[in-house]
Structures are given as C-alpha cells and as structure tokens.
Amino acid sequence: SKTKQNSPFKQKKNNLSTLLIMRALVLNSFKSLPDLKNMSAPKLSDEQALIKMNYAPINPSDLNFINGLYGYQKELPCVPGWEGSGVIKKIKSNKYKDTDLIGKKVSCFATYKGNGTFAEFAAVDLSKCLILDEDTDLIQASCGLYNPMTAVHIRDICIKHDHRAVVLTAASSNVAHQTFKLLKKEGIQVINIVRK
C-alpha cells in the first residue's frame, strides 16, 4: 500500500494549489532567538508572488533586525529574513499571467510589511523579484540582491560624482569585497578599514 505524505497544499478541482501550513522561524520579541513554528502560509496581496524558499542567507542586517537594531521594525510576531532565492509557486497580478512566472527561479527581497524569507514560503512583491536563468545556482542566488546591489550603487555614486577614492569600513564583509572589486575595475582607489 502507498504511504500518504502530508502536504502543505490542498488540491482544488482546477488543479491549482492553496497553501495551508508551513514551517517558519518566528520572532516573538526583539533580542531573542526566533522559534521554529508551524503557521499559515502568507496570503498574496496584489502584484505579489508566493515563493517556495530554497535558501535565505543570514546577513548582518538580519541579526540587527532580530536584535531590534535595524532601521526599520516590523510588527511582532513576524518571520525575519530580508532576502533569499526560490521558485515562484503562485502569483496575484493584473500585469502578468500565471504561465509567465510560475515555476521560475528568483532572487527576492522581503517586503517591509509582513513576513520575511526565513520560512518555507514567502509572499514577495513582484517588483522585488529578479527572474533567474534556469541553470542559476539558487545557493549563489540567495545572496544575489542585497550585497551586490549595494556594491553596484556605491560604484555608480562614485562614477556619477567623479570620486577618485573611497573609504570602506567593515572591509572584511562580503559587500566590501564586492564593492572593492567593482571600484578597482573603475580605477577608483579604495582605503579599507577592518575591525579587530
């Protein structure tokens, strides 16, 4: 006899799936560790995608958020996590058809309202999803937005204002390494400051 597996999806007659329960890290109070809990999966707002999260890195910004030190605080309890990668399972959009996006690999940013990426599923604004090539490694893609886009932005500011040198603090961080490489290509001198 076949063993019936517990699925987080309830099948509908039209073969679309509605997510019921997922596992997530839930932050109940700042300066405490999140708890692993079962919870209802997020409902989509307009122009959002439901992402089956494959990977979500823990960045310093995530640790600052958990400790109540980030520049923005969400209402608690919430699921932390600012970025990650996964596959689009469902969309709610007037701009795109389901067939355009469902099944696509993405790098994504969490919204400032609602839950983040430290869960099996995340509701993410479509404008904060970067569609990836099919052969893209989702581990690498999970870090594909936050630090790289910061490095590109710093480079663009330096070029726009014709800066010849930049001081990078926390120079041993990933974003500093990425920024250093981009600035070096542009011939911009970099002074690195590393904490003990």
Side-chain angles (χ1 to χ4, degrees):
S1 70
K2 292 183 179 179
T3 303
K4 186 177 180 182
Q5 292 182 323
N6 290 332
S7 171
F9 291 102
K10 182 178 180 181
Q11 290 298 118
K12 288 186 173 181
K13 289 181 182 177
N14 64 2
N15 207 24
L16 292 176
S17 298
T18 302
L19 188 64
L20 298 177
I21 301 296
M22 68 174 186
R23 289 178 300 166
L25 290 176
V26 177
L27 184 65
N28 292 299
S29 63
F30 294 111
K31 299 182 182 179
S32 67
L33 293 176
D35 297 313
L36 181 62
K37 293 185 175 181
N38 289 330
M39 63 183 290
S40 296
K43 291 187 177 5
L44 297 180
S45 297
D46 290 338
E47 303 308 319
Q48 283 193 327
L50 183 68
I51 311 295
K52 168 69 172 95
M53 298 305 301
N54 286 65
Y55 300 97
I58 301 173
N59 290 311
S61 57
D62 296 304
L63 298 176
N64 285 338
F65 175 79
I66 289 168
N67 285 307
L69 303 173
Y70 194 67
Y72 182 87
Q73 291 185 348
K74 296 182 181 187
E75 186 178 324
L76 298 179
C78 74
V79 175
W82 289 114
E83 73 173 328
S85 64
V87 177
I88 296 177
K89 291 297 183 181
K90 187 177 182 180
I91 66 169
K92 184 177 180 183
S93 176
N94 292 318
K95 298 177 186 176
Y96 302 98
K97 297 178 193 172
D98 289 357
T99 54
D100 293 338
L101 298 176
I102 290 179
K104 299 284 187 187
K105 290 182 175 182
V106 293
S107 289
C108 59
F109 278 126
T111 61
Y112 278 102
K113 293 183 178 179
N115 290 319
T117 59
F118 292 175
E120 289 183 293
F121 294 89
V124 177
D125 293 342
L126 285 167
S127 63
K128 295 184 178 183
C129 292
L130 176 66
I131 304 295
L132 305 170
D133 292 333
E134 192 55 40
D135 60 347
T136 302
D137 179 6
L138 285 175
I139 294 174
Q140 294 295 318
S142 69
C143 303
L145 292 176
Y146 210 89
N147 287 338
M149 293 303 170
T150 300
V152 167
H153 190 63
I154 291 169
R155 181 206 58 194
D156 291 350
I157 289 170
C158 291
I159 291 170
K160 180 179 178 181
H161 297 287
D162 198 29
H163 295 308
R164 293 179 297 184
V166 170
V167 176
L168 289 178
T169 58
S172 62
S173 68
N174 284 333
V175 69
H177 285 275
Q178 293 170 15
T179 304
F180 175 79
K181 289 177 183 178
L182 290 175
L183 295 177
K184 187 176 177 183
K185 283 182 183 178
E186 298 297 330
I188 298 170
Q189 184 176 355
V190 180
I191 300 164
N192 293 305
I193 298 175
V194 182
R195 288 176 266 168
K196 275 188 168 182

